[in-house]
Amino acid sequence: MMSDQSELSLKHFYIFNEGYGKNEGEEEQKIMYYFPPKVKPDDKMKNVGLSEAIIQFTTTFGIKKSCESLHTEKCRHYYFSPEADFYIVMTVNVPTRSSVEGKTYHGEEVQDSVCQAVVKQAYLMYRLFHGTFSSRLDSSTGDTSPLKQRLELFFNRYLASMKLHHCDIMDVFQGVQFLPLDKTTFLHIQCFVNLLEASFPVVEFTAFLYNDRLIWSGLEPEDMQVVFHYLVYTLLPKSAETELTNGSIPTLNSYGRFLTGPENVHSNSNNVGKVPKLFLSHVKISTRTFHIVVYRMSNCTVCLFIPESEQLTMEMFRKWDTFLGPRLTKLVAEVSSYASKQSSTASGSMDAATRFVYFNRMNLATKSTVHLDSLRSGNTVVTPQVLRLLADINAEHTRSCNAGNPSAETIVKTMSDYWVVGRLSNAREFYVVIQHKNANLIEISDEVKRICDNELKSIFFHV
């Protein structure tokens, strides 16, 4: 008999407000969203009631934070309260292995820090497009239907695209990948952005990306973090797929196109097309909702953030196209040339047996040579066990940091001859994976120091 196995998978995902449905017979009113939708109403209320009871029970111990997770043999339950009275609950199925001896559950393959980050990111992505939960409630009548409609519209699609079994330490960080440039090239980008915003006062903020990596952003890091993930994991992949399907891949010599807005700015139509509105929660001005106009040329992406109160017209898009096209043609060539040189230098200096992951908590910058792409496809150069070990070390260092210890170092050798080193210092985290069977601690420490010097020249770790 061949062994059978199941991966980590989503079982339930629901949102409830404990302020509703307090009277007997009205309990279903507190359920704002439930996935899968075909679950019987009685089962929905039973699961929500159990979650509410667990959360209330843990508060009796005088804990400041409510219950965050519950472990059973077959499932893991995660609880997150993003707003007053609102709770998001995610239940996942523990991976299993079946053989002639029977079915076994492998709870060690489910990591709390990763799943909790997935729940939080789901809320942040919803808030980016629809604002807070409470903003959709009618305080005067208590009508919850507008909120329920928004939740269903968003999460039915979002949950269908979620790849739980591919989530790892990068989901814990939810960081932004930056593209470092030399001073001259970066100055040209900055001058371009300044001229753009001066020429078009309606543009409140600008972001500039190349090859899905951020070069410049006028947004607060917390807002850019969520916008970056929308761009890199949703909008740009869809655009690339469309370009390949239609055979219209842009070149350095051609002007770009709008990914949000009109398909053809030179048409006689006055229809500006679909332009998403984003809710930015950390901006320092009164306006919180913005149109996001995304212009793409070759591997370069420019994002314009225009206040919701501004009426977008076809004439605006024509002027933006006229302004952006010629200038980006030169910038793309310049950035592409520099990035190619840096890529060839980096690939030549990196040992194939040595990989690293870096995260800066201050600016949310992240970098990984463990992952071969940024598409959350599970395409990594290390084993799943090593990948889980990285998240375990991160969780331990986070607990240590929260306890008042800002620096930490952990060195682990696995049964498969991997050395894994994790360092935390100056709000920066650095994880190195080395596959070296006969190495000793001194040699591993020297190798980690060499990588720090080569890859993170301006960062000094006090450990």
Side-chain angles (χ1 to χ4, degrees), residues 262 264-272 314-315 318:
N264 183 6
V265 294
H266 303 293
S267 68
N268 296 324
S269 172
N270 291 322
N271 182 12
V272 299
M314 185 63 81
E315 184 61 26
R318 292 191 182 104

Side-chain angles (χ1 to χ4, degrees), residues 1-20:
M1 177 180 177
M2 296 182 63
S3 61
D4 191 19
Q5 64 182 34
S6 66
E7 296 178 322
L8 176 68
S9 60
L10 181 65
K11 184 177 183 180
H12 297 287
F13 187 100
Y14 49 91
I15 301 168
F16 68 91
N17 186 311
E18 62 180 3
Y20 287 78

Side-chain angles (χ1 to χ4, degrees), residues 85-144:
D85 296 332
F86 280 99
Y87 288 90
I88 303 176
V89 182
M90 182 175 76
T91 303
V92 299
N93 294 307
V94 170
T96 63
R97 305 286 186 274
S98 298
S99 62
V100 291
E101 289 82 12
K103 179 182 290 188
T104 57
Y105 294 87
H106 292 259
E108 74 280 357
E109 296 183 10
V110 186
Q111 297 178 286
D112 286 354
S113 61
V114 174
C115 290
Q116 287 163 354
V118 169
V119 177
K120 182 179 179 181
Q121 184 67 10
Y123 169 74
L124 293 178
M125 289 302 296
Y126 169 87
R127 190 178 67 181
L128 179 67
F129 291 99
H130 301 287
T132 60
F133 291 161
S134 54
S135 67
R136 297 295 173 182
L137 291 177
D138 192 326
S139 57
S140 59
T141 64
D143 184 15
T144 60

Side-chain angles (χ1 to χ4, degrees), residues 125 128 207 209 212 214 224 226-238 259-260 278 292 294 301 303 305:
M125 289 302 296
L128 179 67
L209 296 86
D212 299 346
L214 184 65
M224 190 62 224
V226 189
V227 172
F228 179 84
H229 281 257
Y230 160 61
L231 294 171
V232 172
Y233 298 120
T234 303
L235 183 64
L236 296 183
K238 285 184 178 179
L259 304 188
T260 61
L278 304 184
I292 178 172
V294 181
T301 305
C303 305
F305 297 88

